[in-house]
Amino acid sequence: KKKVYRKNLMDSQKSLKEQMHIRESMKQRELLEKVKYAEAEKKVLEKWKIEEAEKIKKKRERIEKLKKDREVQLKEREIKRQQMLREKAEYERRLLEEFRLHEEAEKAKIVKAKANRKKLFAKVMADNEKRRLEKEKIKAREAQEELEREKQYAALLEAKEKKRAAEFKAYEDKQKKTSE
């Protein structure tokens, strides 16, 4: 019995040792797997960090490109705005110049119209003066003719009076002669 017990004990110790050895090897395998997993995880983490760094770099590049594009757009807009302002100022200057020229033309027309009015007024005054002088001449001529007629009439009346007086004198002389 002792032998059997001893053998069993030995077998069981052997089996325990084997189990311990198996356990040890499993622990080592687990540790190796853990190490492999940790290394794989580390590699994945490194790869992820590199990918994230590249993404960040790409984002920064894209942001920089957008900033540059935006600056270019802003510069172009500013150039267009400046050009529009210049064109607007030129247009307003041209309009002001046209308005000034129009105003000067209107003033010149007014001055010319005033001068024409003055000339016309002077002409009308001269015509009126001519008519007045002609009327005065006509009146003077008519007055002269009237005087002439009056003189002729007076002379005619005087001649008639003289004739009557002569006829009366002749009649009186005749009467005197017949009464003598």
Side-chain angles (χ1 to χ4, degrees):
K1 277 188 173 179
K2 274 189 183 183
K3 272 190 179 181
V4 171
Y5 178 72
R6 213 178 187 179
K7 190 178 175 188
N8 278 342
L9 188 64
M10 290 285 262
D11 281 341
S12 109
Q13 277 183 349
K14 202 179 194 185
S15 129
L16 270 175
K17 279 186 184 175
E18 281 178 8
Q19 281 180 354
M20 292 227 358
H21 183 65
I22 290 172
R23 279 188 189 157
E24 270 304 309
S25 69
M26 281 184 77
K27 278 184 182 178
Q28 280 182 348
R29 244 191 250 144
E30 281 179 9
L31 280 174
L32 271 174
E33 282 179 13
K34 281 183 181 178
V35 166
K36 281 181 183 178
Y37 180 76
E39 284 177 2
E41 205 173 53
K42 199 175 184 182
K43 284 180 183 177
V44 167
L45 188 65
E46 284 296 317
K47 188 178 178 184
W48 180 81
K49 283 182 181 178
I50 291 169
E51 286 175 356
E52 285 299 309
E54 284 179 8
K55 283 181 185 178
I56 290 171
K57 186 178 175 184
K58 284 180 182 178
K59 279 184 182 178
R60 283 185 184 154
E61 287 174 354
R62 194 169 59 233
I63 289 170
E64 285 298 315
K65 187 177 183 288
L66 288 173
K67 279 183 183 178
K68 286 179 182 176
D69 290 348
R70 181 72 178 158
E71 286 176 8
V72 167
Q73 283 179 346
L74 288 174
K75 284 179 183 176
E76 287 175 356
R77 279 187 189 167
E78 183 63 22
I79 290 169
K80 284 181 183 177
R81 190 179 73 79
Q82 291 293 330
Q83 185 177 0
M84 284 177 61
L85 287 174
R86 279 193 302 273
E87 288 174 358
K88 184 180 177 185
E90 179 64 25
Y91 177 71
E92 287 175 354
R93 186 193 63 73
R94 224 179 2 217
L95 279 179
L96 284 173
E97 183 65 22
E98 287 175 8
F99 181 73
R100 186 186 62 77
L101 290 174
H102 179 71
E103 285 294 312
E104 286 178 4
E106 287 296 316
K107 285 179 184 176
K109 282 181 185 177
I110 291 169
V111 167
K112 189 176 180 182
K114 283 182 180 178
N116 286 343
R117 206 174 309 130
K118 284 181 182 177
K119 286 179 185 176
L120 189 62
F121 183 72
K123 187 177 178 185
V124 167
M125 290 299 287
D127 287 347
N128 287 345
E129 186 66 24
K130 278 182 186 177
R131 278 194 213 118
R132 189 183 63 77
L133 290 173
E134 284 177 14
K135 283 181 182 179
E136 283 180 8
K137 283 180 184 178
I138 291 171
K139 281 183 181 178
R141 198 178 323 121
E142 286 176 354
Q144 188 69 31
E145 287 173 359
E146 188 69 32
L147 273 174
E148 284 292 319
R149 271 185 266 151
E150 282 180 15
K151 281 181 185 178
Q152 286 175 359
Y153 185 70
L156 187 67
L157 281 178
E158 203 177 303
K160 274 187 178 182
E161 198 59 41
K162 281 181 183 178
K163 188 178 175 186
R164 259 192 215 163
E167 282 178 2
F168 185 69
K169 202 175 184 184
Y171 176 74
E172 274 183 1
D173 282 347
K174 200 178 180 185
Q175 287 270 331
K176 276 187 186 176
K177 281 184 183 179
T178 49
S179 60
E180 281 182 22

